[in-house]
Amino acid sequence: MKKCLVIAIFLFVLIPTLSGCSNGIKAVKEVNVYEMESFAEVKKDSLVTFTDEKAIKRFKKAFSSAKKQPGVVDMADPDYKVELGEKSFFLWLGQEYGTIMDVSDTNTIYSLSAKSVDKINDQLN
């Protein structure tokens, strides 16, 4: 009985820590993307909203599979702000790299895979 209790407690503690950036992006009906002037300023009339399921899946998969990078960061102004469900992320995107940062945790960044970078670039272009 004690073993089952210990295992259950371990799973309840471990599973949320393994979820990385995926918290809050499960039930998404639309993705809002804004071009950014700076961390605090959105470029005027830049909002693009994606409501089709294929686009939403691309963003969800890319962001939920991003890999946390070690250390505290000091980043340049972001290219985009992405609202994905209840969560908001800053996004830096180039041809060969992609980095996201949870707006509520600006000390941590996550790197997108090369495949995710390609798919997000295709979506935004």
Side-chain angles (χ1 to χ4, degrees):
M1 182 69 171
K2 285 185 178 183
K3 283 185 180 181
C4 290
L5 181 62
V6 169
I7 291 171
I9 291 171
F10 179 73
L11 289 176
F12 284 117
V13 170
L14 180 64
I15 290 173
T17 61
L18 294 177
S19 62
C21 271
S22 65
N23 292 335
I25 62 173
K26 291 178 177 105
V28 177
K29 295 182 178 167
E30 66 181 24
V31 177
N32 294 317
V33 180
Y34 303 86
E35 287 186 58
M36 300 297 291
E37 295 283 350
S38 68
F39 273 97
E41 186 178 353
V42 173
K43 191 178 284 187
K44 187 177 179 180
D45 299 324
S46 67
L47 172 62
V48 176
T49 300
F50 299 97
T51 57
D52 62 291
E53 195 168 322
K54 186 176 179 181
I56 292 169
K57 282 184 181 181
R58 282 182 174 176
F59 280 97
K60 283 174 62 173
K61 185 172 182 179
F63 283 38
S64 64
S65 65
K67 302 295 181 204
K68 183 177 180 180
Q69 299 302 304
V72 176
V73 297
D74 183 21
M75 300 290 290
D77 290 330
D79 300 316
Y80 302 96
K81 180 179 177 183
V82 179
E83 295 175 343
L84 192 58
E86 297 175 6
K87 300 289 279 182
S88 293
F89 300 90
F90 291 122
L91 170 64
W92 292 260
L93 193 62
Q95 290 299 316
E96 297 181 15
Y97 71 89
T99 303
I100 60 172
M101 174 189 288
D102 188 324
V103 170
S104 65
D105 177 13
T106 57
N107 291 320
T108 307
I109 59 170
Y110 299 81
S111 293
L112 302 178
S113 69
K115 187 176 181 179
S116 292
V117 169
D118 289 341
K119 289 185 177 190
I120 297 298
N121 270 321
D122 288 345
Q123 193 66 52
L124 294 177
N125 293 325

